[in-house]
Amino acid sequence: MNANPKSLKREILSSIRKALLELGNATKAELSDKLEISFPTISKFLLQMEKDGEIRSVGLDESSGGRRAKRYAYNPEHMLGLAVFLEKTETNYTIFNCMGEVKEQGKAPSVLVDSGINLLTKFIEEIMATNSSKIHSIAIGVPGSVDNGKIFYMPGYEEYHDFDIKGYYEDYFSIPVVVENDMNAAILGFNYNNRMKDDQSLIYLYFGHNGPGAGFMINGDVVRGKTFFAGEVSFVPQYSERNFGQALENGSRINEEAGSKDYQIDPISRLVASFTAIINPHTVIFCNDEIEKEMLNKITIGSSKYIPAEHLPELTISDWKKDYLYGLQKLCLDFMIMNNDI
Amino acid sequence: MNANPKSLKREILSSIRKALLELGNATKAELSDKLEISFPTISKFLLQMEKDGEIRSVGLDESSGGRRAKRYAYNPEHMLGLAVFLEKTETNYTIFNCMGEVKEQGKAPSVLVDSGINLLTKFIEEIMATNSSKIHSIAIGVPGSVDNGKIFYMPGYEEYHDFDIKGYYEDYFSIPVVVENDMNAAILGFNYNNRMKDDQSLIYLYFGHNGPGAGFMINGDVVRGKTFFAGEVSFVPQYSERNFGQALENGSRINEEAGSKDYQIDPISRLVASFTAIINPHTVIFCNDEIEKEMLNKITIGSSKYIPAEHLPELTISDWKKDYLYGLQKLCLDFMIMNNDI
DNA sequence: ATCACTTATTAAAGTGATTTAATAAGTCTA
DNA sequence: TAGACTTATTAAATCACTTTAATAAGTGAT
């Protein structure tokens, strides 16, 4: 619980930031109206923000009969964010501004090697050195389970287990750090990017090289589960003798030479049916490098054998990598907007 | 967004209420400490609350070396809540205080008859008449899908569809009203009653006379789904040719005379496995009039054929009716504590 | 019993947001 | 181009919580 004037100030500041970024630009009156905060208060905050270079006046409105109103816009370059995503084969990073515009991006060999955290630290340090003061938060994406900034489980990298990356780097760089699982970041990114309502239920489904998995967002929250096992859909029992993972594999061996993926339709349809009967999501997202549009129609038809069609989720295809990046950006932005001194 | 001094006041008041009810009793210093609100502010609020009869002094603490501190407790009788649950065969109601103590309860014939809402209105009106001013909020439980106080779907009672009960009665009685589906209320009740953490994922599973169903709470939120279809688990495909509903029924016909329920073990085990692979819940709750303890063990063993045992949820048995009632009470209490004039 | 000490409570000054009134900067009409 | 009107901004007064200082009420030792 935190109910005091200081928190009010923070609350107001971040709500102004959010509104300005969302609207693109606004007058004081518009902000006061939208945020239900009094005009003088808005005025005072904007004055300070303009002094700090956080916002800029972008001219006067046309008169609506009286004095023309000044219009303000957020200065996108005032704060930058850094997103780093660690993968087995390489490490990518992007630096972006509040509008989501990428200012710089690059690639490096994987830092996920035995030597532990040092390589990653050095990597971030170098990036920070050149962009110094402007970076206000860091988001790190990892291929493993994350519990509140602490790596809980990352297959193949046991030396990272139980390491509190978030805490470590927040101490080290003195800026907010957020760490998230790749799949969960992708879901957040998809949700953000497609401007969906906040309380949607989404499922991001991938088949991958090491077996299928899924990321879940329910009522706008990422689902991790009791033992971070949520999304291990290959274990879903589907046929008398096979689970989802086996049905995909088994089929693939039989149809190896045919080149057709039709054998996957029924297992996926059953999985979609199970999702619907259990959590009835709004959307199920597939990865663009794994599945074709035509396939989706077949799955829709397949699922409707198990569930009345009106309850089925919308099936869409999206760019996983892009969503992942957007997700990390979104996490960063939230921190930049919310968390702030003064 | 709401960031102004008025909301601060409300926030403080409800946090004091919450803390006092949670702790049972407290001194001003304890409240100030716990809530991170300054002593003078706490003092001012408590003074007013004591004047209003909302709290009472319950004596002085033993001295810890200096002046003895006054200890305050919430007056449970200050506000009462009314929970009404509508069923096909009858209508139950209870009146209870902030501590959850039932002050009065009763039963009436079902109001779910063709004549629409009038019977229910009259029923509540009579209860309100005798307990007049003390009832500060009403919770109504219904056997159907509810969307923000509006009945979305209630099988067999199409005349209620799209009727905004919440809005109607809030206008009529001028106190907060909350309407919730029976299963969802039961989950809230179980969660509340067992003092679980707020962000748990629970599943309440019932088999019922008209086929099985489930209620879901994920990360502390009730799950309704895109078309309020969440929890219709009988549609989950489980065997090559049968879904969960069919597996339960089919088995029952075969084993009709044997009296054994063992045929249910594998379907239920598979369902629990599906839950685990998808959302990895903390607990799955069964109804005490439908299943025995011994059965649970068999299901646990059965599920572990499909999923590594460490990821499986805890299986428990609970009193559905009681949880349902507690859930409605909890909803009422939340409204009483939060929503309040002044 | 008095004094030193501890803790609870009350009082006064300070900070921050709101409300209301006053002022400034425009537009439009006569 | 002056006056009426509209709308944006600034200023003053008010309300609410916090911080800090002062006071009250009790305990225990000398």
Side-chain angles (χ1 to χ4, degrees), chain B residues 267-291:
Chain B
I268 299 175
S269 299
R270 281 172 179 244
L271 192 64
V272 170
S274 296
F275 289 158
T276 306
I278 292 175
I279 57 175
N280 187 212
H282 297 79
T283 308
V284 174
I285 306 141
F286 296 82
C287 297
N288 63 345
D289 56 345
E290 291 185 338
I291 215 156

Side-chain angles (χ1 to χ4, degrees), chain A residues 208-228:
Chain A
H209 301 294
N210 312 311
F216 288 81
M217 167 178 278
I218 295 184
N219 291 346
D221 270 345
V222 164
V223 178
R224 301 175 204 279
K226 174 192 165 200
T227 56
F228 296 90

Side-chain angles (χ1 to χ4, degrees), chain A residues 99-339:
Chain A
M99 309 291 287
E101 288 162 9
V102 172
K103 310 299 292 180
E104 181 184 328
Q105 70 183 85
K107 191 177 283 194
S110 177
V111 298
L112 290 174
V113 291
D114 298 320
S115 60
I117 204 78
N118 292 335
L119 255 179
L120 177 57
T121 306
K122 215 170 153 198
F123 180 69
I124 298 180
E125 228 165 13
E126 272 168 31
I127 297 170
M128 296 288 282
T130 52
N131 296 73
S132 62
S133 57
K134 285 219 163 185
I135 292 180
H136 279 241
S137 73
I138 303 176
I140 301 174
V142 299
S145 308
V146 177
D147 182 13
N148 196 24
K150 188 188 270 184
I151 289 188
F152 185 82
Y153 175 67
M154 187 155 59
Y157 303 96
E158 278 68 22
E159 67 273 22
Y160 283 93
H161 285 188
D162 280 325
F163 180 66
D164 179 10
I165 303 196
K166 176 187 165 74
Y168 181 79
Y169 284 128
E170 282 189 342
D171 278 0
Y172 200 96
F173 294 113
S174 302
I175 55 175
V177 173
V178 56
V179 185
E180 186 54 281
N181 162 265
D182 50 2
M183 215 58 224
N184 294 339
I187 288 226
L188 285 167
F190 179 89
N191 192 49
Y192 176 52
N193 210 23
N194 294 59
R195 318 259 146 163
M196 314 209 77
K197 291 198 214 89
D198 294 349
D199 56 346
Q200 296 271 308
S201 299
L202 309 176
I203 300 176
Y204 218 123
L205 190 60
Y206 65 93
F207 302 107
H209 301 294
N210 312 311
F216 288 81
M217 167 178 278
I218 295 184
N219 291 346
D221 270 345
V222 164
V223 178
R224 301 175 204 279
K226 174 192 165 200
T227 56
F228 296 90
F229 195 71
E232 296 293 343
V233 291
S234 69
F235 289 90
V236 173
Q238 285 202 324
Y239 299 88
S240 302
E241 304 296 338
R242 278 174 295 158
N243 64 26
F244 179 61
Q246 291 160 341
L248 278 188
E249 248 201 18
N250 200 347
S252 83
R253 215 165 294 149
I254 294 168
N255 293 268
E256 213 160 14
E257 274 137 277
S260 161
K261 284 186 166 180
D262 283 359
Y263 64 90
Q264 294 185 339
I265 292 173
D266 193 54
I268 299 175
S269 299
R270 282 173 177 243
L271 192 65
V272 170
S274 297
F275 290 158
T276 306
I278 294 175
I279 56 175
N280 186 212
H282 297 78
T283 308
V284 175
I285 307 142
F286 296 82
C287 298
N288 62 345
D289 55 345
E290 291 184 340
I291 215 155
E292 314 273 294
K293 186 99 195 242
E294 190 197 359
M295 187 81 169
L296 287 198
N297 297 328
K298 291 181 182 172
I299 295 169
T300 303
I301 294 167
S303 306
S304 62
K305 279 191 297 191
Y306 302 106
I307 303 259
E310 68 263 36
H311 301 300
L312 291 173
E314 196 186 335
L315 306 182
T316 57
I317 294 173
S318 188
D319 183 333
W320 184 81
K321 199 101 182 191
K322 217 163 115 189
D323 290 332
Y324 185 10
L325 171 61
Y326 274 120
L328 291 178
Q329 285 188 7
K330 165 86 172 126
L331 287 168
C332 247
L333 286 179
D334 284 352
F335 262 91
M336 288 200 282
I337 291 170
M338 308 275 256
N339 244 319

